[in-house]
Amino acid sequence: ATYWHVRSKEDLLAKMLTDVSTRLLNGARDRLATAETPERAIRVLPRLTDRNRDFWTGGAQGELRFWRCRDCREYIHPPQPICPACLSKDMATEAVSGRATLATWSVNHQAWMPGPELPFVVGIVEIVEQPSVRLTTNIVNCAHDGLRAGLPMRVIFEHHLDAEGDVYIPLFEPDEAGA
């Protein structure tokens, strides 16, 4: 799939309008890419900041990284300037194992925008090091009817080139070794 790299809703709309206009001018079908026409998919990329850069770029080393309080050792996600557990400001990023458990999921059959092949799964996973740290992510490489709460998962990364720095989107797949 080809991805548009956008930073805001305005960028997304501009890309979509340009794409539709080009298709109309070229006599193409007057609809956006869907599962039937998967020539273009969209992934909205995060704006990299000092607080989130390690999370979004850790995949280059195969690492899922979170902020962690150096005083009470709590993982913190999303990143915050003060630990919500002990109010410390002494934070650092730290890699976790990349293992998680599936807490809940939704199998999506509706094409809300040009994007992933249908159906696709959006899930919430809990990292094994601290289950209170949850990520909303795509669940990939599995049969949808095989999903269940508590299913062991492992992270994989989807790499995107970007002018501000490459981005690695964490996705999760079933972990056969953890089952």
Side-chain angles (χ1 to χ4, degrees):
T2 303
Y3 290 89
W4 286 330
H5 299 287
V6 295
R7 297 261 178 223
S8 66
K9 284 192 273 188
E10 291 79 18
D11 288 349
L12 174 61
L13 290 173
K15 290 277 191 186
M16 291 170 73
L17 288 172
T18 300
D19 186 60
V20 169
S21 299
T22 301
R23 288 180 197 214
L24 290 173
L25 290 172
N26 293 333
R29 290 176 282 178
D30 62 347
R31 61 192 177 102
L32 294 174
T34 64
E36 294 83 45
T37 60
E39 64 267 6
R40 189 169 305 273
I42 296 173
R43 176 74 75 183
V44 178
L45 297 179
R47 182 174 304 271
L48 297 179
T49 68
D50 290 342
R51 285 192 187 166
N52 70 19
R53 188 174 310 278
D54 285 344
F55 177 80
W56 293 115
T57 62
Q61 289 78 39
E63 295 179 346
L64 181 59
R65 299 176 184 163
F66 295 99
W67 275 31
R68 192 169 195 188
C69 177
R70 289 182 176 169
D71 290 335
C72 72
R73 307 298 295 155
E74 284 285 309
Y75 288 102
I76 301 161
H77 187 75
Q80 301 174 33
I82 297 174
C83 175
C86 73
L87 305 180
S88 172
K89 293 182 182 179
D90 191 10
M91 287 344 143
T93 53
E94 190 174 300
V96 295
S97 66
R99 294 179 304 123
T101 56
L102 185 60
T104 190
W105 69 97
S106 173
V107 179
N108 293 269
H109 297 273
Q110 173 67 41
W112 300 106
M113 66 170 49
E117 186 176 321
L118 296 175
F120 64 94
V121 179
V122 174
I124 297 176
V125 298
E126 302 171 336
I127 66 165
V128 296
E129 288 84 354
Q130 184 178 311
S132 63
V133 174
R134 293 176 154 203
L135 289 178
T136 302
T137 184
N138 287 119
I139 307 300
V140 297
N141 302 330
C142 63
H144 303 145
D145 60 356
L147 296 173
R148 60 178 168 73
L151 182 67
M153 308 295 286
R154 69 172 170 236
V155 72
I156 61 171
F157 295 95
E158 182 180 272
H159 178 220
H160 294 273
L161 300 173
D162 189 68
E164 293 184 18
D166 288 3
V167 173
Y168 294 81
I169 308 289
L171 308 174
F172 281 78
E173 66 182 5
D175 184 3
E176 302 301 327

